[in-house]
Amino acid sequence: MKLASFVHSNKIAKSEFETRLPILRAELLEVQHSLRKADFPVIVLFAGVDGAGKSEVVNLINEWMDPRWLINRAYARPSEPGTDTDRPVFRRYWQDLPPRGQIGLFLSAWYSQVLLGTVSQQVPPEEFPRHVERISRFERTLATDNALILKFWMHLNKRNQKKQLTRLEANPATAWRVTHTDWAHWAMYDRFVIAGDKIIEATDSDHAPWRVVDGADHRYRSLTVAEHMLDAIKDRLGATNSLPDASTSAAPESSADPKPKSETPTKVVTTEFKPSRVNWLADVDLEQTLPKGEYRKRLAQSQGELNRLCRMAKQQNVSTLLAFEGWDAAGKGGSIRRILQALDPRNYRVIPTAAPTDEEHAQHYLWRFWRHLPCAGNITIFDRSWYGRVLVERVEGFARPDEWQRAYDEINEFEEELVESGIMVCKYWLHITQDEQLRRFEERKATPHKRWKLTEEDWRNRAKWDEYEEAVNDMIERTNTPLAPWTIVPANDKYTARIEVLDTVCEHLRKTLSRSPSSSL
């Protein structure tokens, strides 16, 4: 339905409202209680014209339901340096997502920027498809992880919008809510309707449908939104509860690995998964060695160059993200330490990625990585990363086949957003032979200060070397992109590996900085 032809004639009498409300509130609380045990979050998004009651509806939902299990988020334009202005736009939304079992209410969220930008013509027509496609991908990623997404476009015709703004402005208690911007938007009402139609048409989908709500009558809009929420959550809970228990087929839990999730109604990959035909690891020259004396000389040179480039990146607000993957005992920690020796401790963070906590497990698997993205000019180093989804979670059975198979596209989209926002992404796979791994395991076992590094999980993973190697080849083939390429590091010789890592960071930084308008390279 086109917004321009939307009929505004829906009203609910006070007596009917007061009759329906007690029953509705009781059912909302009951379904909220049931939702807390469910394996999906509910994301409720409000968009639409000014004065249509978005904030009022959110306030009533908080009044009618238990606010302890509601997350309320409203967004202004990013403004504070060091926060949202220097990170990917969608980071602020990722970090605010509700965990499984809870409801998130979002105002002025990911549709606000494209709506206002289209109306003000700051988003040119040729850029509009890219913006809405990014929104669609974001919502698809959440929905395929089983999030229930409800989107309400709160609408008024131009006459009712003026009437609503005038009413608010005439009341001293609510006059503060009407700004010069609101009246400026009213003057551009037709543009808002045209832009709204385009956005709704481009982003209306089965997994994230729009519902246009008449905002003229406060009783009607409140009951309409609340009852639609109630019905949608009840339907999803019913569908979830009717599914068989997945615990009979899930892999056994390990205290060191992610918990397997229960089966939920998700979009399953139906195309046959074809493993990589290329053995990316086969041609890696693992016989390379670097004499200790030459290593020390090159280490000092490479660290000095890295320090220089990182200072330039800080001045130009270029952020850096390094992701380290590799075989157990391949030397990831040693390589990271040689990078840190060249850096100012105030400008970097190292994120060691282990099994997700209960808080992290209640979210989409990418959530915990969005939280730690570097701000302008800073460096974040991930010691193991989001690639666990297609490595350990795949091999150990902690992700279903449809989950890890769709993760390749999700990861590529994630990294594309990082690079397009100005973050330099550098990814490493540290490669060693099975014999060298065994030698290092035995060395760790015999060395008191290294013994803690060796766990039963390391031995168990070693026994599945062939399965992991297949997963690594699939990972590299499907996520080795021009924006975020893999560097396969020959790591049988630790000195060779460390210099390779340092030199690759420097090379990527030089390329990134050379594209900056203020570059002096």
Side-chain angles (χ1 to χ4, degrees):
M1 176 185 293
K2 293 291 185 180
L3 295 176
S5 60
F6 186 73
V7 177
H8 298 263
S9 59
N10 300 289
K11 291 186 178 182
I12 292 180
K14 183 178 181 181
S15 58
E16 181 184 352
F17 180 80
E18 292 177 347
T19 299
R20 290 165 60 178
L21 182 58
I23 300 171
L24 174 61
R25 293 186 66 173
E27 290 184 334
L28 285 171
L29 289 169
E30 182 180 350
V31 79
Q32 187 180 22
H33 177 75
S34 299
L35 177 65
R36 291 207 54 218
K37 305 171 187 176
D39 194 34
F40 64 90
V42 180
I43 298 168
V44 186
L45 190 80
F46 294 90
V49 301
D50 298 328
K54 298 183 289 290
S55 299
E56 292 87 343
V57 171
V58 169
N59 288 339
L60 283 174
I61 292 172
N62 277 270
E63 179 183 334
W64 294 345
M65 303 182 78
D66 189 335
R68 292 177 298 174
W69 315 116
L70 293 173
I71 292 175
N72 298 279
R73 293 292 184 267
Y75 301 92
R77 290 180 179 271
S79 57
E80 295 182 22
T83 56
D84 288 316
T85 53
D86 44 30
R87 291 186 174 99
V89 172
F90 277 74
R91 175 188 179 269
R92 62 204 311 224
Y93 310 128
W94 270 98
Q95 67 179 5
D96 289 342
L97 291 175
R100 294 179 175 90
Q102 294 190 34
I103 301 172
L105 306 174
F106 290 84
L107 283 162
S108 301
W110 44 93
Y111 285 98
S112 181
Q113 184 176 11
V114 66
L115 175 62
L116 295 176
T118 302
V119 170
S120 65
Q121 299 179 334
Q122 292 180 349
V123 174
E126 62 272 18
E127 287 292 312
F128 179 83
R130 183 176 64 85
H131 284 273
V132 294
E133 173 59 22
R134 177 141 293 168
I135 289 172
S136 296
R137 293 193 320 196
F138 174 55
E139 292 176 347
R140 183 177 65 247
T141 295
L142 301 180
T144 50
D145 195 53
N146 204 38
L148 174 60
I149 303 175
L150 307 175
K151 301 189 298 191
F152 296 98
W153 186 278
M154 312 297 289
H155 197 57
L156 293 169
N157 61 30
K158 190 172 185 179
R159 180 178 62 84
N160 282 337
Q161 186 182 33
K162 181 179 181 181
K163 181 178 177 181
Q164 175 74 342
L165 293 175
T166 302
R167 183 184 65 81
L168 292 171
E169 199 171 49
N171 186 341
T174 58
W176 61 272
R177 292 169 55 186
V178 182
T179 66
H180 292 297
T181 300
D182 294 323
W183 284 114
H185 288 175
W186 176 81
M188 296 187 291
Y189 178 86
D190 292 339
R191 289 191 191 178
F192 272 92
V193 169
I194 293 171
D197 277 330
K198 289 176 61 178
I199 290 169
I200 291 172
E201 182 179 2
T203 60
D204 188 48
S205 63
D206 291 339
H207 58 262
W210 279 104
R211 183 182 179 96
V212 180
V213 178
D214 183 354
D217 180 73
H218 68 280
R219 300 187 188 98
Y220 173 83
R221 71 195 181 204
S222 303
L223 289 185
T224 299
V225 170
E227 288 175 348
H228 185 69
M229 283 178 56
L230 174 66
D231 291 342
I233 297 172
K234 285 171 67 176
D235 287 347
R236 174 61 66 85
L237 287 170
T240 302
N241 293 337
S242 66
L243 290 173
D245 184 2
S247 61
T248 57
S249 60
E253 287 191 24
S254 164
S255 60
D257 287 305
K259 301 175 185 176
K261 294 192 294 184
S262 62
E263 287 288 342
T264 49
T266 58
K267 183 179 180 181
V268 177
V269 174
T270 55
T271 56
E272 180 183 358
F273 181 80
K274 297 180 180 179
S276 171
R277 295 181 179 179
V278 178
N279 189 333
W280 292 82
L281 305 179
D283 295 331
V284 179
D285 182 6
L286 295 174
E287 300 301 318
Q288 300 178 61
T289 59
L290 193 62
K292 192 172 185 178
E294 184 179 350
Y295 163 71
R296 287 180 173 174
K297 179 181 178 180
R298 291 187 59 182
L299 178 67
Q301 292 172 343
S302 297
Q303 287 180 332
E305 175 69 355
L306 179 60
N307 177 273
R308 183 184 74 86
L309 292 169
C310 286
R311 283 188 284 110
M312 289 182 62
K314 183 68 174 178
Q315 293 169 358
Q316 297 178 28
N317 290 331
V318 173
S319 303
T320 299
L321 186 152
L322 309 179
F324 282 84
E325 298 286 351
W327 299 107
D328 294 326
K332 295 183 292 296
S335 295
I336 291 171
R337 285 192 293 275
R338 271 61 189 185
I339 291 174
L340 301 184
Q341 289 170 358
L343 305 180
D344 184 335
R346 295 170 294 182
N347 299 333
Y348 70 76
R349 292 181 65 197
V350 178
I351 309 296
T353 302
T357 63
D358 288 342
E359 179 190 25
E360 293 166 341
H361 187 70
Q363 297 278 5
H364 190 282
Y365 73 95
L366 287 174
W367 177 80
R368 58 175 169 162
F369 303 109
W370 275 98
R371 299 174 75 195
H372 296 302
L373 297 182
C375 58
N378 283 15
I379 301 168
T380 298
I381 301 173
F382 287 93
D383 186 352
R384 297 200 185 277
S385 68
W386 42 95
Y387 284 99
R389 187 66 157 189
V390 295
L391 294 175
V392 64
E393 292 186 46
R394 165 184 171 171
V395 174
E396 303 299 335
F398 296 116
R400 300 189 309 271
D402 65 288
E403 291 179 318
W404 62 257
Q405 287 175 24
R406 70 172 180 257
Y408 300 112
D409 287 339
E410 293 171 345
I411 288 169
N412 287 337
E413 291 169 3
F414 169 53
E415 292 174 351
E416 179 184 323
E417 288 193 58
L418 304 187
V419 175
E420 287 188 353
S421 72
I423 297 176
M424 188 206 80
V425 175
C426 202
K427 306 183 303 194
Y428 295 98
W429 175 264
L430 272 66
H431 188 48
I432 57 176
T433 62
Q434 285 182 276
D435 289 344
E436 177 62 19
Q437 185 188 63
L438 179 60
R439 187 192 69 77
R440 294 183 185 184
F441 278 11
E442 296 294 347
E443 181 184 51
R444 287 181 175 183
K445 187 165 64 173
T447 307
H449 69 274
K450 292 184 178 181
R451 200 172 294 153
W452 64 272
K453 295 183 178 181
L454 191 62
T455 67
E456 289 298 322
E457 181 188 355
D458 294 328
W459 291 106
R460 182 168 56 83
N461 291 346
R462 177 176 166 78
K464 297 183 178 182
W465 183 282
D466 291 342
E467 294 176 65
Y468 274 102
E469 187 172 62
E470 181 180 357
V472 171
N473 279 303
D474 288 339
M475 173 191 76
I476 294 174
E477 178 161 304
R478 286 171 168 79
T479 62
N480 187 47
T481 65
L483 290 177
W486 279 99
T487 298
I488 304 175
V489 179
N492 262 17
D493 179 65
K494 292 184 178 181
Y495 293 162
T496 299
R498 292 167 184 172
I499 298 302
E500 172 82 6
V501 166
L502 284 165
D503 288 350
T504 304
V505 179
C506 291
E507 179 186 354
H508 280 261
L509 274 171
R510 277 193 291 269
K511 289 180 180 178
T512 301
L513 293 171
S514 68
R515 294 191 290 267
S516 173
S518 57
S519 174
S520 59
L521 285 176

